[in-house]
């Protein structure tokens, strides 16, 4: 009797084991996301697709008269009309952003699953804060993490129509080639149009509806050419880094070493007092900071190791937390950075009343 019971138990366990592995195989197949396909495979089959935009104000369509006339809306419409595929858009964009801010913002907001297509739109703001070598480092850092997180995605890098700094454009093209991304230089169709910047932009930087139509048409033309040329699925290979030290990660230092006149608000340090300052000590070659920008934002004087670095405006039309690049290529040693509120407003800010500043943390390299 006991042997019979044991035999029945073993048979039951064996049967359950087979059922478990069968269920595991089915579940494993279902867990493979549709987003694992590349964009061209999706539209070739007439399937819907997901796409991600990481960029600055042009990435978000600033200058368009309505969302429907921004480049990404025109792109979605064109793909739908030609291939019957509808897009799900994810935007990680910020006016005035640099590739450094794009990298930090992407880490905070990245999609929970891979997408089929990625657009990367930076360059015009970066040239205001860093040289092309520094830009190349942060641009590659962002491009690399996008390739890792979205291994099957097709990546399109946009050289903005307003970018006049050739060194930055060359770095975008060089890194795009290294990472198997398609670079679209929008300066070419803008120049070929024969129209002046006044006819294609709102302010010689941000495209208007006519300018964004050129963006969309150039993207759609490139996609059609690529789609016709792609006969087999290409497996993305992560290349060797072009720039050194790309593995360095960043952390936030929230507590200053010296606080003179700022109030600790738990989520940052706030002040309306002229000449109040915060001082932080850090180690490494790079520093940025996380601040709250808003309508009452004032001006901050920044020094590193006692030497003037820059004066930064914290004004913005609405309250928004922002990552700001300050400096890189510092000596790999200990440094002191001081933020002094000078009590002034941005020269173009006509609002009356007392300005203020709020600093949340500095961004430094993990040691």
């Amino acid at each position: 009797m006991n042997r019979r019971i044991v035999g029945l138990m073993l048979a039951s366990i064996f049967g359950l084991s087979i059922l478990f592995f069968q269920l595991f195989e089915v579940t494993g197949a279902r867990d493979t996301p549709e987003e694992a396909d590349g964009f061209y495979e999706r539209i070739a089959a007439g399937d819907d697709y997901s796409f991600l935009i990481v960029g600055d104000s042009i990435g978000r369509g600033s200058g368009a008269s309505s969302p429907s006339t921004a480049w990404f809306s025109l792109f979605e419409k064109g793909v739908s009309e030609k291939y019957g595929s509808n897009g799900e858009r994810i935007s990680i964009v910020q006016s005035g952003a640099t590739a450094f801010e794009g990298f930090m913002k992407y880490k905070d907001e990245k999609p929970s699953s891979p997408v089929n297509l990625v657009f990367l739109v930076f360059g015009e703001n970066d040239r205001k804060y860093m040289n092309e070598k520094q830009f190349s480092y942060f641009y590659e850092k962002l491009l690399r993490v996008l390739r890792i997180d979205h291994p099957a995605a097709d990546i399109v890098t946009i050289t903005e129509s307003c970018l006049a700094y050739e060194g930055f454009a060359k770095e975008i093209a060089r890194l795009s080639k290294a990472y198997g991304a398609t670079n679209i230089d929008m300066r070419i169709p803008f120049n070929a149009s024969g129209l002046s910047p006044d006819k294609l932009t709102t302010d010689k930087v941000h495209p208007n509806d006519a300018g964004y139509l050129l963006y969309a048409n150039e993207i759609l033309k490139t996609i059609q050419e690529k789609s016709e040329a792609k006969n087999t699925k290409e497996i993305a290979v992560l290349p060797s880094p072009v720039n050194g030290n790309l593995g360095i990660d960043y952390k936030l230092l929230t507590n200053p070493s010296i606080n003179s006149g700022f109030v600790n608000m738990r989520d940052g340090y706030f002040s309306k007092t002229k000449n109040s300052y915060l001082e932080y000590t850090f180690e490494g070659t790079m520093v940025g900071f996380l601040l709250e920008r808003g309508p009452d934002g004032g001006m901050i004087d920044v020094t590193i190791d006692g030497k003037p670095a820059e004066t930064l405006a914290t004004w913005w039309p609405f309250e928004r937390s922002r990552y700001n690049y300050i400096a890189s290529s510092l000596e790999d040693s200990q440094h002191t950075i001081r933020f002094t509120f000078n009590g002034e407003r941005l020269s173009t800010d006509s609002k009356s009343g007392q300005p203020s500043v709020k600093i949340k943390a500095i961004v430094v390299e993990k040691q």
Side-chain angles (χ1 to χ4, degrees):
M1 179 67 72
N2 289 339
R3 289 180 179 176
R4 184 179 179 185
I5 292 172
V6 170
L8 289 171
M9 290 176 64
L10 289 173
S12 299
I13 292 170
F14 180 74
L16 287 171
S17 298
I18 292 175
L19 179 62
F20 172 79
F21 284 112
Q22 288 176 335
L23 288 171
F24 179 81
E25 288 179 355
V26 173
T27 303
R30 286 177 180 171
D31 281 346
T32 302
E34 290 185 338
E35 287 78 11
D37 290 335
F39 171 71
Y40 295 103
E41 288 72 34
R42 301 294 296 176
I43 62 172
D47 293 332
D48 294 343
Y49 61 95
S50 58
F51 73 105
L52 170 67
I53 305 170
V54 185
D56 54 19
S57 55
I58 291 179
R60 67 184 293 269
S62 294
S65 62
S66 71
S68 64
T69 58
W71 66 269
F72 44 79
S73 296
L74 297 172
F75 157 75
E76 291 175 44
K77 182 181 178 183
V79 172
S80 178
E81 290 176 350
K82 184 166 183 62
Y83 302 98
S85 302
N86 295 315
E88 178 187 354
R89 183 190 338 131
I90 303 168
S91 295
I92 302 177
V93 293
Q94 176 61 62
S95 295
T98 62
F100 163 73
E101 184 171 11
F103 175 79
M104 297 300 295
K105 194 172 174 65
Y106 175 78
K107 285 179 62 179
D108 291 344
E109 303 176 18
K110 67 180 181 179
S112 58
S113 59
V115 298
N116 310 120
L117 176 66
V118 178
F119 289 101
L120 193 56
V121 192
F122 287 104
E124 172 60 19
N125 295 307
D126 302 77
R127 55 93 184 168
K128 303 172 187 175
Y129 302 102
M130 58 189 84
N131 60 39
E132 60 251 38
K133 183 178 179 181
Q134 294 164 330
F135 166 70
S136 178
Y137 175 83
F138 291 113
Y139 195 88
E140 183 181 5
K141 200 169 179 67
L142 177 53
L143 186 56
R144 193 171 186 84
V145 75
L146 289 169
R147 177 56 76 201
I148 291 170
D149 289 350
H150 310 276
D154 294 285
I155 299 179
V156 176
T157 61
I158 303 292
T159 302
E160 296 168 301
S161 50
C162 52
L163 184 60
Y165 285 61
E166 192 59 34
F168 284 71
K170 286 181 178 178
E171 287 304 311
I172 293 172
R174 181 170 76 113
L175 293 171
S176 298
K177 183 177 181 180
Y179 282 82
T182 300
N183 177 233
I184 299 178
D185 189 340
M186 283 308 304
R187 301 175 304 173
I188 297 172
F190 264 57
N191 290 334
S193 72
L195 298 174
S196 68
D198 291 334
K199 298 291 185 181
L200 294 173
T201 68
T202 59
D203 54 7
K204 293 185 171 57
V205 174
H206 300 95
N208 55 22
D209 290 351
Y212 279 130
L213 182 59
L214 285 181
Y215 268 71
N217 286 343
E218 192 67 19
I219 293 169
L220 290 167
K221 183 184 78 171
T222 303
I223 282 172
Q224 182 174 346
E225 292 169 354
K226 288 279 185 179
S227 180
E228 292 172 352
K230 272 184 176 280
N231 296 318
T232 58
K233 182 178 178 66
E234 297 177 2
I235 299 175
V237 177
L238 190 67
S240 299
V242 175
N243 291 283
N245 300 318
L246 286 182
I248 293 175
D249 202 0
Y250 303 122
K251 64 180 180 180
L252 299 180
L253 290 183
T254 56
N255 296 318
S257 51
I258 299 177
N259 174 7
S260 177
F262 277 73
V263 178
N264 187 346
M265 305 290 288
R266 293 189 179 180
D267 65 337
Y269 289 81
F270 174 86
S271 180
K272 285 188 173 183
T273 306
K274 184 176 181 178
N275 294 327
S276 56
Y277 65 88
L278 296 175
E279 196 167 278
Y280 298 81
T281 300
F282 69 96
E283 293 188 3
T285 64
M286 193 284 301
V287 63
F289 74 126
L290 177 63
L291 74 158
E292 178 119 333
R293 300 182 71 173
D296 290 320
M299 306 291 290
I300 299 174
D301 295 324
V302 183
T303 61
I304 298 177
D305 299 330
K307 299 178 181 178
E310 59 182 312
T311 297
L312 298 169
T314 69
W315 177 90
W316 202 246
F318 43 84
E319 291 187 358
R320 177 66 57 88
S321 291
R322 297 286 304 273
Y323 288 101
N324 269 54
Y325 169 87
I326 298 175
S328 55
S329 304
L330 300 171
E331 288 187 11
D332 192 3
S333 60
Q334 187 176 87
H335 301 279
T336 299
I337 186 168
R338 177 180 287 196
F339 302 93
T340 302
F341 174 42
N342 63 24
E344 298 178 2
R345 288 184 176 275
L346 191 65
S347 59
T348 55
D349 179 11
S350 59
K351 186 176 180 180
S352 60
Q354 191 174 4
S356 60
V357 295
K358 186 176 183 180
I359 297 173
K360 295 188 171 185
I362 64 169
V363 183
V364 297
E365 297 166 348
K366 284 184 179 179
Q367 298 298 314

